[in-house]
Amino acid sequence: MSETQQTIGEYLIQALYSRGARHIFGVPGDYVLGFYHILNQSNKLKIINTCDEQGAGFAADAYARVNGLGAVCITYCVGGFKVVNPTAQAFAEKSPLVVISGAPGIKERKKNDLLHHKVRNYDTQLEIFKQITVDSILINDTTTAVQGIDRVLSSVLRYKRPAYIELPRDMASVPIFTPQKQQHQKKQLQQQADSSSPNETMMEIGSISDLTSLHEALSEATAMINSSDKPVIVVGIEIHRFGLQEKLLQLIDKTKIPFVSTVLSKSVINEDHPSFLGVYEGAMGYESVREYVESSDCLILLGALMTDINFAISSTPIEQSRSIYVTSEKLSIKHHNFENIFLHDFINGLIEAPLARRDFITMRKASNNKVLSLAATSKKITAQRLFEILNFSIITNKTIVIADVGDSLFGALDLKIHGQTEFLSPAYYCSMGFAVPASIGAQLANPRLRPVVIVGDGAFQMTGMEISTIARFNLNPVIIVLNNGGYGTERPMLDGPFNDILRWHYSQIAQLIGRGKGFVIETEKQFEQVLSEVERKYSKELCILDVRLDPLDGSQALKRLTEALAKNVRKNA
Amino acid sequence: MSETQQTIGEYLIQALYSRGARHIFGVPGDYVLGFYHILNQSNKLKIINTCDEQGAGFAADAYARVNGLGAVCITYCVGGFKVVNPTAQAFAEKSPLVVISGAPGIKERKKNDLLHHKVRNYDTQLEIFKQITVDSILINDTTTAVQGIDRVLSSVLRYKRPAYIELPRDMASVPIFTPQKQQHQKKQLQQQADSSSPNETMMEIGSISDLTSLHEALSEATAMINSSDKPVIVVGIEIHRFGLQEKLLQLIDKTKIPFVSTVLSKSVINEDHPSFLGVYEGAMGYESVREYVESSDCLILLGALMTDINFAISSTPIEQSRSIYVTSEKLSIKHHNFENIFLHDFINGLIEAPLARRDFITMRKASNNKVLSLAATSKKITAQRLFEILNFSIITNKTIVIADVGDSLFGALDLKIHGQTEFLSPAYYCSMGFAVPASIGAQLANPRLRPVVIVGDGAFQMTGMEISTIARFNLNPVIIVLNNGGYGTERPMLDGPFNDILRWHYSQIAQLIGRGKGFVIETEKQFEQVLSEVERKYSKELCILDVRLDPLDGSQALKRLTEALAKNVRKNA
């Protein structure tokens, strides 16, 4: 087929493929069926159709985080509105997600006032997505479609935030418009894109920092760091999103300045690194890490989002007058701001700067010195013991831990992660139900890693049926359900019958869907044994572990956090 | 407690209660926990906490349709965005649904830039809901809170469309502001509201039609109807939403003009009525009804939405020059429009008008003359036989049929419904996954009726886990899963692997949740036997029927519809 015959649908697929996507998640519907057909025929992006669009959104978000670009494709309104929440999450936590929605044809919109699925106006969905994306386009014009698609995808890669593409069903099969003189250029760009891996593309940020500002900021930062006694680097999530891990390692190795991660950025830099102090979690974390960070006289926050979960719930929060705070969106030193400086330029600048090398004496490691390899007993299992046992068994450099919100996340912060970015959680946006569908996206993006999903029963009841999708695509996560009969994170704040849910027999899901292996766990010993079976005997299978916990049980981290949150609920009530 | 001490939270609960709400659906989260606590203590609205917010939204929508007012209460963003789709559905199909969302406190918004769950701005959720509601309010001011709540609830009842109330967590416990002189008035209004039933309140529409316009429109309509040979009334969904059934029956009984319902308004007027012709479904429906309607020389469309599912897919669509088309939003006779005329005023006017009484000879009934009580055989069950057998067994005047989208709906259109509004389906918006959670809302709103849920396996995999909520609140619907391994409505349009889903063993859900009774059905005889057991032996229990159908099987109506839709997909592709 010659290039001029390529359709808009085919061009969109090619554009995603050339930027590193190999899968696309979604649920078909009549307004998007034509595009699904094109997808299916193109054989470029494998269609992963999930049970519900919400699951597709979460799976695509996880895929985007691991792969560098992800896409979800749904039908108009009844599908699109179900991915508003996952898209909002991708926006809040900076995940490069492309939302593609089918829609009524441009021609039929003019003729009919009430085509099915329409809500208020034909633009209602577009207007809603404008609120939660960095860029959006309604493809209603062949002459601008190609440029529009390119622009939207560039925005996603540049800002690491979601964008929205609305593809009316009468546009998907229309040939793209390529003026003669643009064709050669286009072809060259496409060849370049074809040969680049997604991570290389991720760095193609393009614009240049204001060099005078950059120079001034670097001089000031260098002087501030060199004159400090106890500098600490806080590694934020953007280091991962913008692919700056290797750069940051250079900086750390050159200066020997110790570093912490945040809740959201756990494992972005390998937790085995000698300069790693632990995860900084404010009041919820280990005292030693908290104290070290909060008593630092020079905090270098690189790509970290100052969220309440990451930072705020502490009695002695981070002091701005002792901070260098750099993200993709702003650069502040103490109380003044610099404009137009890119995160990667600043980090590169620091690497080149005359920073003194520190004699860092490895401090007592907070995150793994408490977890002793205590032998499993025949006692009833607790949340605390669950995470301790996990730490010495199934979590290896061949797993990726995916924690849902609540104690799944807080307990999991104590897990020692072995590789880089082998921990995923919506730790700022905190939407329940992410973990099970996320395991689909994460494993498809990196088949080398077996997902270990830690999920509360409340979250599992939201999206757990995506186990069906896991089974259909022959994935093999280990899904650990913390079965405590309700919303354990909320009970210590304010309890009532509204926090209760039904206790399912989660292991029976294997019978329901006719696939996988289910286990019931009551004691420490059983947990240890099951983990060993899961690793050896059922290494290729989807495994569901129903861990029976007491409703009022919780990790130590949860207890500390919920006390802090409860104070806020009471104070604000 | 004296009236002046009532808090904003308590006032909101009282305001919903006095307008007829007795239940509230949702999932708690920390920004709304304080309000849940107030709800729980007030003992006015029973909290129905569902597995996922999507389920709460659908349940509350169904409750709103049956009860006249419904409410869903969720937390900020991670909860709110999950009910965007149900709210959009309520907007599209005119359901009086109130969305109440917890949110960060007004004070804490000022201090903190990144509180958990926040997306872009603190107003992002409010801006999104403005697109899909008739009214909205952020409660950030004690002096206007009471008026604001009253205004928003009035809008819901007036327009029968959803509205949005954002309640920051530091406002729920703040006392309401009641200036001295307003107190007496307020108390009177509240007493009036307390003593009125929701349906009486539903009619409290307030404004008055333009009498000159009304008079002119009525004269013209009367003349047009009287000079016609074959008038037909099309009863639309607004007749139900605005509580005008009795009025319409007066008109029908007085004039003996025959009537049809639409897909969306099936059963709004009792299907036993001698003047009922059947459901008009365009190309999908019975030929006799279609022909009668389309050959009418005077169509009187009352409260009907001109949607594609209701009307458009017909080779000879409805002719405007022969129509009187009245809804709550517009009134057209032939090609000219009248302004400011209320639907109820027009219907009242027609009742008083000198309309000639017709000698209507009962035509061959389309909707039940084809369904013969053919004995069940030992043959493999088909979709067609499923609906035929249903018609003569479990559907009585003590059931409400709730059909999900797809063949569940199309097949169910042939069911003979015995009472008024004993059929529910999102027949215009067509969001999959409505039926199972809707059964919760419908049965709580009218405990006299046992829901018979007809749901495809694709839709069931989206929201079927709400069976857990059904079990927790001891409801007893009969859930019939049309298990055909995928999206049966799409296969005839454009098939591919994207239409396949995993075949679950749906009856095993009883084991998973530890409640209810599951059945597997392969033959006609089995279906008949199971239905009889479900009615007698398990009359108080939640029952799940897994009906195994062929992937390419479908009702006759589906076949006719998908052929018409497939033409559109091909034409627009």
Side-chain angles (χ1 to χ4, degrees):
Chain A
M1 189 189 283
S2 81
E3 204 200 354
T4 45
Q5 287 177 312
Q6 195 177 33
T7 62
I8 292 175
E10 285 165 346
Y11 183 80
L12 176 55
I13 292 164
Q14 171 64 34
L16 290 165
Y17 183 88
S18 68
R19 288 166 179 83
R22 296 293 178 269
H23 299 80
I24 189 162
F25 302 82
V27 175
D30 69 332
Y31 289 127
V32 78
L33 261 188
F35 184 60
Y36 262 78
H37 183 66
I38 299 172
L39 271 168
N40 194 42
Q41 290 198 315
S42 81
N43 260 326
K44 282 203 155 83
L45 306 180
K46 182 166 182 177
I47 298 170
I48 308 296
N49 52 327
T50 54
C51 294
D52 192 40
E53 286 89 346
Q54 174 171 221
F58 283 142
D61 176 1
Y63 186 90
R65 292 176 193 215
V66 177
N67 179 62
L69 184 69
V72 61
C73 180
I74 36 63
T75 194
Y76 186 61
C77 291
V78 297
F81 290 152
K82 284 190 188 179
V83 300
V84 166
N85 186 50
T87 307
Q89 172 177 288
F91 188 91
E93 299 195 350
K94 301 207 167 182
S95 176
L97 173 69
V98 183
V99 178
I100 299 164
S101 179
I106 297 296
K107 288 185 225 88
E108 56 185 336
R109 294 180 191 207
K110 287 173 191 151
K111 279 187 301 189
N112 299 294
D113 196 40
L114 287 177
L115 291 175
H116 62 285
H117 303 342
K118 188 191 138 192
V119 182
R120 183 175 242 145
N121 307 310
Y122 282 113
D123 282 345
T124 300
Q125 179 163 307
L126 178 65
E127 290 304 320
I128 283 179
F129 274 90
K130 278 183 184 168
Q131 302 283 339
I132 49 172
T133 54
V134 283
D135 206 349
S136 56
I137 183 174
L138 164 64
I139 297 180
N140 58 2
D141 180 351
T142 39
T143 61
T144 57
V146 164
Q147 286 171 329
I149 289 168
D150 287 350
R151 186 201 70 219
V152 162
L153 296 183
S154 295
S155 300
V156 170
L157 293 177
R158 173 159 184 185
Y159 299 103
K160 312 298 178 195
R161 281 191 150 146
Y164 174 74
I165 297 174
E166 187 166 313
L167 184 59
R169 64 173 165 185
D170 56 1
M171 298 301 287
S173 297
V174 172
I176 58 169
F177 174 82
T178 324
Q180 212 58 31
K181 64 167 189 169
Q182 284 185 12
Q183 279 195 26
H184 179 66
Q185 227 183 347
K186 188 96 237 139
K187 208 164 188 171
Q188 272 192 322
L189 278 171
Q190 206 163 295
Q191 280 166 348
Q192 276 172 17
D194 278 354
S195 64
S196 67
S197 81
N199 279 334
E200 283 167 353
T201 324
M202 275 176 76
M203 284 299 298
E204 163 231 87
I205 290 173
S207 309
I208 294 161
S209 296
D210 176 325
L211 289 179
T212 334
S213 296
L214 178 63
H215 185 74
E216 187 182 312
L218 281 168
S219 299
E220 191 182 347
T222 304
M224 186 172 158
I225 296 168
N226 280 341
S227 68
S228 70
D229 289 329
K230 200 180 173 185
V232 177
I233 293 173
V234 178
V235 177
I237 192 65
E238 289 192 340
I239 298 304
H240 166 250
R241 298 295 192 262
F242 290 94
L244 296 169
Q245 291 103 323
E246 293 312 312
K247 289 286 173 193
L248 203 71
L249 277 168
Q250 275 183 46
L251 178 66
I252 289 166
D253 290 340
K254 183 189 160 201
T255 61
K256 299 285 178 199
I257 297 173
F259 72 97
V260 295
S261 61
T262 66
V263 176
L264 190 57
S265 61
K266 180 176 167 69
S267 91
V268 158
I269 302 286
N270 204 310
E271 300 195 337
D272 283 330
H273 195 284
S275 302
F276 179 58
L277 297 181
V279 182
Y280 174 73
E281 311 163 27
M284 164 168 76
Y286 285 109
E287 191 58 20
S288 53
V289 180
R290 192 181 69 75
E291 215 172 68
Y292 197 101
V293 169
E294 292 173 5
S295 66
S296 162
D297 57 350
C298 182
L299 273 174
I300 310 155
L301 297 121
L302 299 176
L305 309 181
M306 297 286 259
T307 75
D308 57 346
I309 301 282
N310 273 344
F311 291 102
I313 305 151
S314 176
S315 47
T316 54
I318 279 168
E319 189 56 72
Q320 208 179 327
S321 56
R322 298 186 309 232
S323 301
I324 297 164
Y325 178 43
V326 196
T327 69
S328 64
E329 286 162 24
K330 67 180 283 187
L331 193 160
S332 310
I333 297 180
K334 297 176 182 170
H335 290 88
H336 51 279
N337 304 324
F338 294 82
E339 304 295 329
N340 301 320
I341 298 177
F342 282 97
L343 179 60
H344 61 279
D345 285 334
F346 188 78
I347 292 175
N348 280 329
L350 282 185
I351 293 169
E352 302 301 324
L355 285 173
R357 190 182 172 88
R358 303 274 157 173
D359 287 318
F360 176 64
I361 298 143
T362 304
M363 64 170 283
R364 203 166 52 99
K365 285 290 169 62
S367 63
N368 50 8
N369 68 344
K370 285 213 178 179
V371 185
L372 300 170
S373 177
L374 267 173
T377 70
S378 56
K379 278 193 203 150
K380 195 165 164 21
I381 191 153
T382 62
Q384 190 183 337
R385 290 293 294 144
L386 178 142
F387 288 105
E388 285 172 4
I389 294 168
L390 263 183
N391 233 346
F392 287 92
S393 54
I394 202 169
I395 314 293
T396 68
N397 61 3
K398 289 187 182 136
T399 54
I400 177 167
V401 173
I402 305 178
D404 215 288
V405 173
D407 214 17
S408 307
L409 169 59
F410 305 135
L413 290 172
D414 290 349
L415 294 176
K416 167 94 182 277
I417 303 300
H418 298 263
Q420 217 160 268
T421 316
E422 292 176 358
F423 183 84
L424 273 190
S425 186
Y428 160 59
Y429 186 63
C430 290
S431 180
M432 284 169 71
F434 173 70
V436 172
S439 75
I440 302 166
Q443 192 167 22
L444 289 170
N446 187 349
R448 202 182 56 76
L449 301 178
R450 186 181 195 185
V452 174
V453 173
I454 305 171
V455 54
D457 49 0
F460 188 88
Q461 290 192 7
M462 291 177 171
T463 56
M465 70 281 189
E466 295 297 351
I467 281 189
S468 179
T469 312
I470 291 170
R472 282 187 63 225
F473 293 98
N474 298 309
L475 304 172
N476 66 337
V478 182
I479 296 171
I480 301 170
V481 183
L482 309 187
N483 178 356
N484 61 3
Y487 305 125
T489 320
E490 290 176 4
R491 291 197 197 283
M493 298 189 227
L494 203 56
D495 205 5
F498 42 79
N499 287 328
D500 297 336
I501 65 171
L502 202 65
R503 279 197 183 231
W504 296 0
H505 305 288
Y506 298 96
S507 66
Q508 298 273 336
I509 284 188
Q511 279 74 53
L512 172 65
I513 67 167
R515 302 272 191 96
K517 181 72 192 150
F519 304 88
V520 178
I521 287 142
E522 305 262 9
T523 68
E524 297 180 8
K525 264 261 177 285
Q526 282 173 351
F527 188 53
E528 198 180 56
Q529 276 165 1
V530 164
L531 287 180
S532 154
E533 277 189 57
V534 158
E535 235 186 328
R536 293 180 184 85
K537 199 163 153 196
Y538 301 108
S539 65
K540 304 275 179 229
E541 263 190 88
L542 154 66
C543 295
I544 304 120
L545 283 59
D546 173 355
V547 185
R548 307 278 168 92
L549 297 170
D550 188 87
L552 298 176
D553 185 25
S555 70
Q556 291 305 106
L558 173 65
K559 279 167 197 161
R560 287 191 295 266
L561 176 74
T562 45
E563 269 162 35
L565 283 175
K567 271 185 217 152
N568 279 3
V569 167
R570 283 190 294 265
K571 199 173 67 192
N572 289 297
Chain B
M1 190 191 284
S2 81
E3 204 202 351
T4 45
Q5 286 177 312
Q6 196 177 34
T7 62
I8 292 176
E10 286 164 345
Y11 184 80
L12 176 55
I13 292 165
Q14 172 64 34
L16 290 165
Y17 183 88
S18 69
R19 287 166 179 82
R22 295 293 178 267
H23 299 80
I24 188 162
F25 302 81
V27 176
D30 68 332
Y31 289 126
V32 79
L33 259 190
F35 183 61
Y36 263 78
H37 183 66
I38 300 172
L39 271 168
N40 194 41
Q41 290 200 312
S42 80
N43 261 325
K44 282 201 156 85
L45 306 180
K46 183 166 183 177
I47 298 170
I48 307 297
N49 52 325
T50 53
C51 294
D52 192 40
E53 286 89 346
Q54 174 170 220
F58 284 142
D61 176 2
Y63 186 90
R65 292 175 193 215
V66 177
N67 179 62
L69 183 69
V72 61
C73 180
I74 37 62
T75 195
Y76 187 60
C77 292
V78 296
F81 290 152
K82 285 190 186 179
V83 300
V84 166
N85 186 49
T87 307
Q89 172 177 288
F91 189 92
E93 298 193 351
K94 301 207 168 183
S95 175
L97 173 68
V98 183
V99 179
I100 299 164
S101 179
I106 296 297
K107 289 186 223 88
E108 58 186 333
R109 294 180 190 206
K110 286 171 191 153
K111 281 187 301 190
N112 299 294
D113 197 41
L114 286 178
L115 291 174
H116 63 284
H117 301 343
K118 189 191 136 190
V119 181
R120 182 175 243 145
N121 308 310
Y122 282 113
D123 282 345
T124 300
Q125 178 163 308
L126 178 65
E127 290 305 320
I128 284 179
F129 274 90
K130 278 184 184 166
Q131 302 284 340
I132 50 174
T133 54
V134 282
D135 205 348
S136 56
I137 183 174
L138 165 64
I139 297 181
N140 57 1
D141 181 351
T142 39
T143 61
T144 56
V146 164
Q147 286 171 332
I149 288 169
D150 287 350
R151 185 201 71 218
V152 162
L153 297 184
S154 295
S155 301
V156 170
L157 293 177
R158 176 163 182 181
Y159 298 104
K160 311 298 175 194
R161 280 191 152 149
Y164 174 73
I165 297 175
E166 187 166 311
L167 184 59
R169 62 173 166 184
D170 56 1
M171 299 300 287
S173 297
V174 172
I176 57 168
F177 174 82
T178 324
Q180 212 58 30
K181 65 165 190 171
Q182 283 185 14
Q183 280 193 25
H184 180 67
Q185 224 184 349
K186 186 98 238 143
K187 206 163 188 172
Q188 274 192 322
L189 277 171
Q190 207 163 297
Q191 280 167 348
Q192 277 173 15
D194 278 355
S195 64
S196 68
S197 81
N199 277 336
E200 281 167 356
T201 324
M202 276 175 75
M203 282 302 296
E204 164 230 88
I205 290 172
S207 308
I208 295 161
S209 297
D210 178 323
L211 290 179
T212 335
S213 295
L214 177 63
H215 185 76
E216 187 182 313
L218 281 168
S219 299
E220 190 181 348
T222 304
M224 187 171 157
I225 296 168
N226 279 342
S227 69
S228 69
D229 289 328
K230 199 180 174 186
V232 177
I233 293 173
V234 178
V235 177
I237 192 64
E238 289 191 338
I239 298 304
H240 166 250
R241 297 295 193 262
F242 291 92
L244 297 169
Q245 291 103 323
E246 294 312 311
K247 289 286 172 194
L248 203 73
L249 277 169
Q250 275 184 43
L251 178 66
I252 290 166
D253 289 339
K254 184 190 160 200
T255 60
K256 300 284 177 199
I257 297 173
F259 71 98
V260 296
S261 60
T262 67
V263 176
L264 190 57
S265 62
K266 178 176 168 69
S267 91
V268 159
I269 301 287
N270 205 309
E271 300 195 336
D272 283 331
H273 195 285
S275 302
F276 179 59
L277 298 179
V279 182
Y280 174 73
E281 312 163 27
M284 165 170 73
Y286 285 108
E287 191 58 20
S288 53
V289 180
R290 193 181 70 74
E291 216 171 69
Y292 197 100
V293 169
E294 292 172 5
S295 66
S296 161
D297 57 350
C298 181
L299 271 175
I300 310 156
L301 297 121
L302 298 174
L305 309 181
M306 296 287 259
T307 76
D308 57 347
I309 301 282
N310 273 344
F311 292 102
I313 304 151
S314 176
S315 48
T316 53
I318 280 170
E319 189 56 72
Q320 208 179 329
S321 57
R322 297 186 309 229
S323 301
I324 298 164
Y325 178 43
V326 195
T327 70
S328 64
E329 286 161 24
K330 67 179 285 189
L331 193 160
S332 310
I333 297 180
K334 297 177 183 169
H335 289 89
H336 50 282
N337 303 325
F338 295 82
E339 304 295 328
N340 301 319
I341 298 178
F342 282 97
L343 179 59
H344 61 280
D345 285 335
F346 188 78
I347 292 175
N348 279 329
L350 282 186
I351 293 170
E352 303 300 324
L355 286 173
R357 190 181 171 90
R358 302 276 158 173
D359 287 317
F360 175 64
I361 299 143
T362 304
M363 64 170 282
R364 201 166 54 99
K365 284 291 168 63
S367 61
N368 52 7
N369 68 345
K370 285 215 178 177
V371 185
L372 300 172
S373 178
L374 267 173
T377 70
S378 57
K379 276 194 203 151
K380 195 164 161 26
I381 190 151
T382 62
Q384 189 183 336
R385 289 294 293 145
L386 178 144
F387 288 104
E388 286 171 2
I389 293 169
L390 261 184
N391 234 346
F392 288 91
S393 54
I394 201 169
I395 314 293
T396 68
N397 61 2
K398 289 186 182 136
T399 54
I400 176 165
V401 173
I402 306 178
D404 215 287
V405 173
D407 214 16
S408 306
L409 169 59
F410 306 135
L413 291 172
D414 290 347
L415 294 176
K416 166 93 180 280
I417 303 300
H418 298 264
Q420 217 161 268
T421 317
E422 291 176 357
F423 183 84
L424 274 189
S425 186
Y428 161 59
Y429 187 63
C430 290
S431 181
M432 284 170 70
F434 173 71
V436 172
S439 75
I440 302 166
Q443 193 168 21
L444 289 170
N446 188 350
R448 203 181 57 73
L449 301 178
R450 186 181 195 185
V452 175
V453 173
I454 306 169
V455 54
D457 50 0
F460 188 88
Q461 290 191 7
M462 292 177 170
T463 56
M465 70 281 188
E466 296 295 353
I467 281 189
S468 179
T469 312
I470 292 169
R472 283 188 63 226
F473 293 97
N474 298 308
L475 304 172
N476 66 337
V478 182
I479 296 171
I480 301 170
V481 183
L482 310 187
N483 178 356
N484 61 3
Y487 305 126
T489 321
E490 289 176 5
R491 292 196 197 284
M493 298 189 227
L494 202 55
D495 206 5
F498 43 79
N499 287 329
D500 297 335
I501 66 171
L502 201 64
R503 279 198 183 228
W504 297 0
H505 305 289
Y506 297 95
S507 66
Q508 297 276 336
I509 284 188
Q511 278 73 53
L512 172 66
I513 66 166
R515 304 271 191 97
K517 182 74 192 146
F519 304 87
V520 179
I521 288 142
E522 305 262 9
T523 68
E524 296 180 9
K525 262 263 178 284
Q526 281 172 351
F527 189 54
E528 196 179 56
Q529 275 165 359
V530 165
L531 287 179
S532 154
E533 278 189 57
V534 157
E535 237 186 328
R536 291 179 187 86
K537 198 164 154 197
Y538 301 106
S539 65
K540 304 277 179 224
E541 265 191 87
L542 153 66
C543 294
I544 305 121
L545 282 59
D546 173 357
V547 185
R548 308 279 170 89
L549 297 170
D550 188 87
L552 297 176
D553 184 25
S555 70
Q556 290 305 108
L558 174 66
K559 280 167 196 160
R560 287 193 293 267
L561 176 72
T562 45
E563 269 162 35
L565 283 174
K567 268 185 219 153
N568 279 3
V569 168
R570 284 190 294 265
K571 198 172 67 192
N572 288 298

